[in-house]
Amino acid sequence: MNVKREKVNGSMVLFVQEERIDAHNSADFKELMLQLLEQGETDLVVQLQSVRFIDSSGLGALLAGLKNATAKSGKFTLTNIQPQVLSMFELTRLNRVFEIYPNLQDVFASDQ
Amino acid sequence: MNVKREKVNGSMVLFVQEERIDAHNSADFKELMLQLLEQGETDLVVQLQSVRFIDSSGLGALLAGLKNATAKSGKFTLTNIQPQVLSMFELTRLNRVFEIYPNLQDVFASDQ
Amino acid sequence: MTGTDLQVEVIIPTQTRYLELIGSIGEHIGKELDSFQGDRDALAYHLNLVLTEATTNAIKHSNFNDPKDTVKITIHICENELIIRVYDHGQGFDLESVPTPDFEHPKEGGMGIYFIRTLMDSVSYRKMKEANVLEIRKFLT
Amino acid sequence: MTGTDLQVEVIIPTQTRYLELIGSIGEHIGKELDSFQGDRDALAYHLNLVLTEATTNAIKHSNFNDPKDTVKITIHICENELIIRVYDHGQGFDLESVPTPDFEHPKEGGMGIYFIRTLMDSVSYRKMKEANVLEIRKFLT
Ligand SMILES: Nc1ncnc2c1ncn2[C@@H]1O[C@H](COP(=O)(O)OP(=O)(O)O)[C@@H](O)[C@H]1O
Ligand SMILES: Nc1ncnc2c1ncn2[C@@H]1O[C@H](COP(=O)(O)OP(=O)(O)O)[C@@H](O)[C@H]1O
């Protein structure tokens, strides 16, 4: 799983550099998020600009990240979701569960 | 065949808006070039930035354009060829036959 | 051919690295279907997803210990219907008893069959001697 | 499976709009081949190209008048070899007598077989009762 990390305004931003999140790489991705949370990075932002396809295991990995962050009283935010990927969140109503922003600027504007 | 046309510095620039040129669309593409030449557009520049794949019929269509332009004492130039597409020109030695530039700026700089 | 427009058969080892190949075949077929009246890009995504989910399940529930086990996937377009069949050699399961996800209390798993049911027109699962088969149909008109 | 790692079979009507599907299957397979030591992106392009060229020829030289005619394409990966077979129902031809293109006097046609020969390891063409078959092999080590 190719993910670029960058600290922005105190948040850990994960830039997912894959076109697909599916059962082949979602376990790795989940593992990475849980490790970061374990290490005290309790403000995660997942930037999904490059992701053109997500399956149920990918949604499951993100949900695991959210639940874990919430359990640690942390934050877990998604940004830059492509329209077709977003429609998978809508179909599972997960768009109501996650905090979703159009871009990073809006994520940090909402912090003020 | 999706091709955007734009007149630049007196040349007719064809921006090919397809990822593939193959036997499914190359005949259309050839037809378009020959028509433009027929209509007196004897300075054609084909911009191949979007093209990620070309087959032998696509190379053949470009060769038809070149031969036709030359027969009309016109010009026929290629620009923005992706590396893998360029390697098909090299394999057939057609890189020695066409005038090829990295980008439009260089095409027009060479006119001076 | 008598009515069949396209036939694809793929046999893969039970490894998730082949999911992208399978999904992308569905995606390309969806984009090619000019007989389809609806949103072809959406159909392409849905076929990619449905093939990915069904193949993932077949891989997951196959004979885990047998490196020679395989999953077969077929895609047929026949008149105005697209039929996907995914064959596994596992224990099988009862499709009808798979519940709809509880959207008020979302869980990490259990969304695959829901996607297949929601995005396609019919789904069935049969246990057979040679292999089990998940059959998925989508009308293209 | 006994040594076979991947098997793909596609049957298409004799129409060029399926070329992209066939080519893209080759491209995805090329990218997936982590046993291959060389440049996988180049291999992916080459498989896309070779499948496109061979399928184009099979379509072009099929029974032009028969809308029910089909072309079958198979791709097998077996140990360290990738084997492509393209079946046509046309008149057939003599592969050995196809000349190398004259690079000093380039022509619009006649580059397809050259690409196949140059980019792959072996090519043969056999006329058979049921169908003719172009067989292309590529070693993956
Ligand atoms: N091919 C299969 N063989 C055996 N069981 C299966 C198969 N496909 C699905 N199932 C069963 O159906 C359940 C629901 O599947 P699914 O909706 O894809 O969610 P998940 O796989 O995340 O649990 C699985 O947990 C499994 O018990
Ligand atoms: N499947 C086929 N059936 C009959 N003839 C074929 C077939 N494939 C190739 N050929 C013959 O071989 C020649 C060379 O093919 P190729 O190199 O692909 O160039 P082109 O198709 O542009 O002529 C063709 O002109 C044709 O005569």
Side-chain angles (χ1 to χ4, degrees), chain D residues 10 14 54-55 57-63 69-74 84-95 123-136:
Chain D
V10 185
T14 52
T55 306
N57 282 343
I59 291 172
K60 263 198 319 207
H61 301 287
S62 281
N63 298 310
D69 196 13
T70 57
V71 168
K72 180 167 89 174
I73 300 104
T74 68
I84 293 168
R85 293 192 183 91
V86 179
Y87 298 80
D88 74 76
H89 304 103
Q91 297 219 302
F93 75 114
D94 178 20
L95 177 65
V123 198
S124 70
Y125 188 84
R126 268 173 299 154
K127 293 177 95 169
M128 296 194 301
K129 255 196 212 128
E130 292 259 310
N132 309 310
V133 54
L134 184 78
E135 185 176 287
I136 302 167

Side-chain angles (χ1 to χ4, degrees), chain A residues 20 24 30 54 56 67 91, chain C residues 16 45 48 53 106 108 114:
Chain A
R20 260 177 90 91
H24 188 52
K30 175 173 151 184
I54 195 165
S56 66
K67 286 189 174 179
L91 215 55
Chain C
T16 52
Y45 191 105
N48 187 342
E53 298 290 351
E108 279 180 53
Y114 167 72

Side-chain angles (χ1 to χ4, degrees), chain A residues 56-57, chain C residues 53-54 56-62 86-88 90-95 98-99 101 108-116 125 132 134:
Chain A
S56 66
S57 77
Chain C
E53 298 290 351
T56 299
N57 282 342
I59 291 172
K60 261 197 320 205
H61 300 287
S62 281
V86 179
Y87 299 80
D88 73 75
Q91 297 218 302
F93 74 115
D94 178 19
L95 177 65
V98 173
E108 279 180 53
M111 290 177 282
I113 297 288
Y114 167 72
F115 277 141
I116 297 173
Y125 189 83
N132 309 309
L134 183 79

